[in-house]
Amino acid sequence: MGTLIDRFDEHDGPVRGIHFHKSQPLFVSGGDDYKIKVWNYKLRRCLFTLLGHLDYIRTVAFHSEYPWIVSASDDQTIRTWNWQSRQCISVLTGHNHYVMCAMFHPKEDLIVSASLDQTVRVWDISGLRKKSVAPSGEEMLRLPQMNLQMQVNAELFGSGDGVVKYVLE
């Protein structure tokens, strides 16, 4: 029989996804308030909130090696977050209905997603490893203006960081 240790109630609405970190005293949650929250269960509090989805969040999960979280949403996107920098590092688009689930592959640079559009998609995210360390301010200043504009567009609209490898219908 289990014993209730604590109750965390900072979401505004139903909580649909939750996942423990494999080695840190953390868990992540996502829900109908469009928010992803990272919690420290030993400190018994929410550490921070990640914002970016435009609709309900269905699932959230930590990566087994990198400081990443994957989230799936009714906004038809899969987002990858760097939880250490608290930034969204990728928005994967392509589903044309709610994305019900997304998970990292345990060893390869892949994400798998499932949607109400009746597809399962496998995404190659090998390009994200380069983004796990942010460039310094000086390096950003040396980027050509056109390259900087391409980076901004890629962040806003998705890019080659995640490429659909397979669509299973």
Side-chain angles (χ1 to χ4, degrees), residues 25-123:
L26 305 174
F27 66 90
V28 60
S29 62
D32 288 5
D33 56 4
Y34 312 175
K35 296 175 183 173
I36 297 167
K37 294 185 174 282
V38 176
W39 310 79
N40 183 311
Y41 60 85
K42 288 190 176 178
L43 297 177
R44 298 180 176 204
R45 66 182 183 93
C46 178
L47 300 177
F48 55 89
T49 301
L50 301 170
L51 300 172
H53 279 294
L54 304 174
D55 209 335
Y56 299 163
I57 297 166
R58 296 290 182 157
T59 59
V60 289
F62 283 106
H63 191 277
S64 61
E65 183 180 347
Y66 295 105
W68 299 342
I69 293 168
V70 66
S71 57
S73 171
D74 285 4
D75 66 8
Q76 302 177 18
T77 68
I78 301 105
R79 290 179 183 257
T80 308
W81 309 82
N82 182 316
W83 59 266
Q84 289 178 336
S85 67
R86 303 179 189 183
Q87 299 292 317
C88 179
I89 57 174
S90 177
V91 180
L92 303 176
T93 60
H95 283 292
N96 57 31
H97 210 310
Y98 303 158
V99 183
M100 304 303 288
C101 183
M103 296 182 74
F104 289 112
H105 187 282
K107 299 210 183 295
E108 296 184 38
D109 290 334
L110 300 172
I111 289 176
V112 64
S113 60
S115 169
L116 288 185
D117 66 8
Q118 301 179 6
T119 65
V120 173
R121 295 173 189 244
V122 180
W123 307 82

